[in-house]
Amino acid sequence: MTSLGGVEMVDWNLAVATATRLVKPGPEVSREEAREAVAELRRHAAAAEEHVRGFTRMTPDGAADTPVLVVDRPGWIRANAAGFRELLSPLLDKMRARRGAGPGNAVLGAVGGKVTGVEVGMLLSFMASRVLGQYETFAPPTRDLPGAPGEGGGRLLLVAPNIVHIERELDVDPHDFRLWVCLHEETHRTQFSAVPWLRDHIEGEIHAFLGETDMEPSALLERLREAFQSLAGSGRPEPGEDGEPDGGNSLVELVQTPAQREVLGRITAVMSLLEGHADYVMDGVGPQVVPTVAEIREKFQKRRAAGAGRLDQALRRLLGLDAKLRQYRDGERFVRAVVEEVGMDGFNRVWTSPNTLPTRAEIADPAEWIARVHRKAD
């Protein structure tokens, strides 16, 4: 794959091929069971739209044009590889330019792109068997994976084999579990379709984070290599400052500069808001439309916290997934506290502009956000 006459630093075609080859097969289902699961997820996605709009009092602009796609694991891999390529292109272009355009560098770049493509593919294969659903924000639309018309696109992905796998593992009612998942993912669809500036704001923050990366390609690869080598360690991890085992830094933390930490704090706050809001909505709507929501939530929370063995826990920390679990928890607490204090309409002031988004400190102390946004507005 080439770009502007230079070799890509990541061979994305190879990444997709590697991930598709390595990803675990889904649960065993008959053709009829598979058809029914796909059809039911589509029905639940349509029903969830009305439930979420009524509960959140958010009116999406053009949500009907945002496709809901029920995909398998390879479909999720293709969509996310395209999204990563779109987001990382400014950083990779800068690093490729720094590497130079000589014939020797081109050969090294081609080899390095394939090596990195394999590594990216391995990470995608790990993730592809764990994601239940996702509002895909950044990937350009394709014939196989269409997006909403106009600039920004957007599509909701529901990963059918993963949903079936988890509902069986938890031994919960499959019809209730599928609707419960759709409520969470539809909330993300509503967030982005009802708040037109949100996508561009997050993309701008991510590009600001990547733009602060000022590192030679060899140095960056060395940092990544150190991170992967941490997976090969043996014995119990050393305790951190809080007394808990310290499993090392995530990939994001390994490439941080002081300027990146500031941007990352803002990104963490908005992602905590989005994930916590989705969790709050799925549990708020749940009792009315999901009879077994209490059982599902209890079993799902235990599974989230437990992980699946030492390698799984190490990879979760490396990829920053432990931080994502904290985002669900902290963000849900923030949303709940704000709604209890000022009501849903008062909470919805959060969507007014980037200036009304909570800071990382305000996520931890919702009263600070209420005082800043509501006192100023009043």
Side-chain angles (χ1 to χ4, degrees), residues 97-260:
R98 174 174 291 186
R99 184 179 57 205
N105 286 331
V107 173
L108 291 174
V111 174
K114 292 188 179 299
V115 171
T116 310
V118 170
E119 292 174 343
V120 171
M122 293 172 65
L123 294 179
L124 285 172
S125 71
F126 172 79
M127 297 292 297
S129 61
R130 285 157 173 78
V131 176
L132 300 182
Q134 172 188 4
Y135 186 79
E136 221 299 317
T137 318
F138 302 109
T142 65
R143 183 180 62 183
D144 295 332
L145 293 167
E151 187 175 355
R155 56 189 170 224
L156 179 61
L157 306 179
L158 298 171
V159 190
N162 295 350
I163 294 173
V164 172
H165 171 74
I166 298 302
E167 69 193 25
R168 290 180 177 179
E169 181 181 299
L170 297 180
D171 190 25
V172 294
D173 183 282
H175 309 292
D176 285 1
F177 183 75
R178 292 168 191 178
L179 177 55
W180 189 69
V181 171
C182 287
L183 290 171
H184 182 103
E185 303 308 333
E186 173 58 34
T187 303
H188 287 315
R189 182 170 176 252
T190 297
Q191 289 163 348
F192 282 93
S193 55
V195 186
W197 53 264
L198 185 58
R199 178 197 180 278
D200 290 341
H201 173 72
I202 293 177
E203 184 177 24
E205 293 282 48
I206 292 173
H207 284 169
F209 178 86
L210 297 176
E212 290 294 334
T213 300
D214 189 18
M215 188 179 294
E216 293 290 340
S218 58
L220 176 60
L221 291 175
E222 180 60 30
R223 299 292 288 276
L224 296 178
R225 190 173 299 112
E226 291 173 1
F228 283 110
Q229 286 175 348
S230 71
L231 298 178
S234 59
R236 180 178 175 82
E238 292 296 323
E241 294 180 0
D242 58 359
E244 293 296 319
D246 183 1
N249 293 323
S250 71
L251 292 180
V252 171
E253 291 168 331
L254 284 172
V255 297
Q256 270 191 73
T257 65
Q260 283 178 307

Side-chain angles (χ1 to χ4, degrees), residues 11-25 73-81 84 116-129:
D11 187 330
W12 294 103
N13 283 342
L14 182 58
V16 170
T18 300
T20 303
R21 185 176 67 254
L22 295 178
V23 70
K24 296 178 180 179
R73 291 170 177 176
W76 182 90
I77 288 168
R78 290 193 298 273
N80 278 265
F84 285 140
T116 310
V118 170
E119 292 174 343
V120 171
M122 293 172 65
L123 294 179
L124 285 172
S125 71
F126 172 79
M127 297 292 297
S129 61

